[in-house]
Amino acid sequence: MSAPRTLRCLLALGALATPSISRAEDFSRPNVVLISLDTLRADHLSAWGHVEPTSPTLDRLAREGVLFAAAWSTCSWTLPSHASLLSGRYPTSHGAVTRRDRLSPKQPNLAVALREIGYDTAAFVSATFVDREYGFARGFRVQERHGREFAGDERPESPLEQWAGPATVARARHWLEEEWTGDPFFLFVHAYDPHEKYLRHPGVTGRFSAERYAERPPAPSRRPTKPRTMTQDERREMLRRYDGEIRTLDAEIGELLRALDDLDLTDYTLVFVASDHGEEFLDHGSWGHANVLYDELLHVPLIVRYPGSFEGGRVVDAPVSLVDVYSTVAAITGLSTRRVQGVPLHDTMAECSSRTGLAASTLRLRAYRDRTWKIIVPRDRGEPELFRYTTDPGERHDLAREYPEKLRELLRSAEELRTDRFFSETASDPAAHALSPETRRELETLGYAD
């Protein structure tokens, strides 16, 4: 590493690890708030160029913090991605890759690590895959799952309709305002919105109001849906509802951030907002997620705010991963990163990172990308695909036949990462094979059952 580059890295680390003069002595270690918004693709937020005003709160947060424009998930569905977020490890390493797996106690865990150094820890979630049964309660002093409240004889059509995110975010806000112990805290909030089914939200006005929705939305399967099974009117209706869910949740996040302001905690709190994966709206001929690794599923929003340390209003175009969240918290709070596979985000910001590429995977597919190129590789049958981001961000033109040398180069890089002992070590928990009847019913509702 050259001397100027080394200096940039040291300065970046010092700026993050050293509190500014305005910080009180009791806040030498900042609070940490991690907000995960399920199924939110980056290009449906205004800050990423969406034409609809879906996200005024998140847009403002991006202006106050740093927007990572090329953030990548590690998988295209909830469980593996969240396991990566909280362990700092790729799915091939943490082992939680099927609905029968769970995040093992043998894996690094951000909540456990922060609690061990004196943090108060609380998690409020709204979906099965980030709940207690899948190992996500470990390390949290308070862990609750919340959903939508129904009055009178009104009943949700399915368990999925109970998992609306605003109720979960509101409960997190109440904990912060009324139940927080006063110690530095780690608050994890997972909101299931905007996952389908897309609900009507009467409190939302204007172009996202309930009156603009059809009485009932189309209900595609969780499995891939061919274009011929959905009309363009149905697609527009689903997109309108999807944006409405985002706008509703954005307002509730605004209330949570306002609570930090009211408690004079904003300057002492490191805030992350991310998503676990996106959603396909017939971009490549299918609907939903979990089955492919195109960027409508892997490209996720990531915003970080830490006043006095992260430069407000900055946009970082270099690729980063969800595994980098753990590493960033560790660099600021002094946690060990011995088994963590991410890179602190400030390294990427200062162009200090030695990372050459990012990985993502499902049981059937692997993907690898660098700054310019991306490959998608079937694990068994099928041919690999090659795309160039700079000229084809929508991944419409497979260049594998046109650039065979580049394809081989990326395949070698992906294989080196896959077979590296540090990245291939796994430790899944076999106890996760025994799902409760209630969890099995909920997963069948989602379409994840075999």
Side-chain angles (χ1 to χ4, degrees):
M1 185 182 293
S2 67
R5 189 179 178 197
T6 302
L7 179 59
R8 285 200 308 272
C9 294
L10 292 173
L11 290 174
L13 179 60
L16 286 173
T18 305
S20 64
I21 296 174
S22 63
R23 293 208 171 101
E25 184 177 351
D26 290 343
F27 289 93
S28 58
R29 282 177 170 164
N31 308 305
V32 180
V33 174
L34 174 55
I35 302 171
S36 173
L37 309 178
D38 208 296
T39 323
L40 176 59
R41 52 189 282 174
D43 61 0
H44 272 253
L45 296 179
S46 308
W48 271 262
H50 191 39
V51 295
E52 299 288 356
T54 54
S55 51
T57 296
L58 296 182
D59 299 346
R60 182 171 62 254
L61 188 70
R63 292 192 297 270
E64 296 170 353
V66 178
L67 183 154
F68 291 88
W72 234 34
S73 182
T74 61
C75 191
S76 56
W77 67 287
T78 302
L79 173 61
S81 299
H82 278 96
S84 291
L85 191 64
L86 289 178
S87 72
R89 292 171 67 80
Y90 286 101
T92 50
S93 299
H94 63 59
V97 295
T98 78
R99 68 182 184 90
R100 297 183 181 88
D101 299 321
R102 66 185 299 171
L103 182 58
S104 170
K106 299 177 183 179
Q107 292 294 322
N109 184 295
L110 187 57
V112 170
L114 288 173
R115 193 169 183 185
E116 286 176 349
I117 63 171
Y119 274 70
D120 192 9
T121 55
F124 300 95
V125 304
S126 54
T128 303
F129 285 128
V130 287
D131 203 0
R132 187 175 303 274
E133 187 160 2
Y134 280 92
F136 285 90
R138 200 164 57 92
F140 289 106
R141 182 180 67 83
V142 177
Q143 196 273 353
E144 299 175 5
R145 177 171 146 192
H146 289 268
R148 191 175 172 222
E149 293 183 0
F150 293 83
D153 294 331
E154 184 183 11
R155 291 291 183 270
E157 185 174 286
S158 71
L160 192 145
E161 289 198 16
Q162 300 180 52
W163 301 345
T168 305
V169 180
R171 176 64 183 98
R173 186 179 74 247
H174 181 269
W175 176 85
L176 183 61
E177 294 172 336
E178 304 293 338
E179 301 173 29
W180 167 47
T181 63
D183 293 326
F185 63 82
F186 172 42
L187 175 61
F188 173 53
V189 183
H190 166 263
Y192 201 62
D193 308 55
H195 195 292
E196 63 96 13
K197 295 179 175 179
Y198 307 130
L199 305 179
R200 299 200 300 172
H201 295 280
V204 180
T205 60
R207 71 187 73 197
F208 304 118
S209 66
E211 289 71 24
R212 295 179 62 90
Y213 296 161
E215 185 61 28
R216 297 296 304 174
S221 166
R222 297 281 347 118
R223 304 306 179 190
T225 301
K226 297 300 181 183
R228 65 178 180 272
T229 67
M230 181 175 293
T231 69
Q232 285 303 309
D233 284 344
E234 288 175 328
R235 181 177 183 273
R236 282 190 291 269
E237 176 69 21
M238 294 295 274
L239 288 170
R240 188 157 50 237
R241 284 178 174 263
Y242 182 78
D243 285 346
E245 295 253 305
I246 298 169
R247 182 61 181 261
T248 301
L249 194 57
D250 181 85
E252 198 61 49
I253 293 170
E255 293 300 314
L256 177 60
L257 297 178
R258 190 169 297 111
L260 293 175
D261 291 339
D262 293 343
L263 293 169
D264 294 326
L265 295 174
T266 295
D267 286 347
Y268 317 120
T269 303
L270 173 62
V271 175
F272 297 88
V273 176
S275 176
D276 56 345
H277 57 79
E279 185 83 333
E280 183 179 355
F281 296 110
L282 307 184
D283 303 69
H284 285 86
S286 299
W287 185 280
H289 58 270
N291 299 285
V292 296
L293 291 177
Y294 296 114
D295 263 27
E296 56 265 24
L297 299 180
L298 293 182
H299 182 205
V300 293
L302 177 60
I303 301 170
V304 184
R305 185 185 72 180
Y306 187 25
S309 294
F310 279 86
E311 178 186 352
R314 183 171 176 183
V315 176
V316 176
D317 293 321
V320 297
S321 172
L322 292 184
V323 296
D324 299 340
V325 170
Y326 191 124
S327 300
T328 305
V329 175
I332 296 172
T333 60
L335 298 177
S336 169
T337 57
R338 186 175 61 89
R339 298 177 60 224
V340 175
Q341 295 169 338
V343 172
L345 291 168
H346 58 273
D347 279 9
T348 302
M349 293 166 60
E351 300 181 3
C352 303
S353 173
S354 59
R355 170 189 277 156
T356 57
L358 301 176
S361 61
T362 67
L363 286 177
R364 297 178 179 88
L365 296 168
R366 292 184 291 128
Y368 178 86
R369 69 158 294 175
D370 58 22
R371 285 176 176 261
T372 305
W373 297 88
K374 172 183 175 180
I375 56 171
I376 301 175
V377 186
R379 290 185 182 272
D380 43 27
R381 291 174 295 179
E383 297 296 322
E385 297 176 281
L386 174 68
F387 302 101
R388 181 160 51 189
Y389 279 116
T390 51
T391 57
D392 182 27
E395 299 166 290
R396 301 295 183 185
H397 307 290
D398 179 7
L399 300 176
R401 292 182 181 274
E402 188 174 346
Y403 293 93
E405 283 299 323
K406 177 57 67 173
L407 175 63
R408 283 192 286 270
E409 176 189 329
L410 267 69
L411 286 170
R412 283 194 298 270
S413 297
E415 185 65 13
E416 288 170 2
L417 184 63
R418 188 185 70 82
T419 57
D420 187 299
R421 181 177 179 183
F422 179 64
F423 283 87
S424 61
E425 173 193 353
T426 59
S428 60
D429 187 344
H433 286 276
L435 298 179
S436 70
E438 179 183 0
T439 296
R440 186 175 295 278
R441 283 193 298 272
E442 290 177 353
L443 296 181
E444 289 172 352
T445 299
L446 282 165
Y448 288 116
D450 291 339

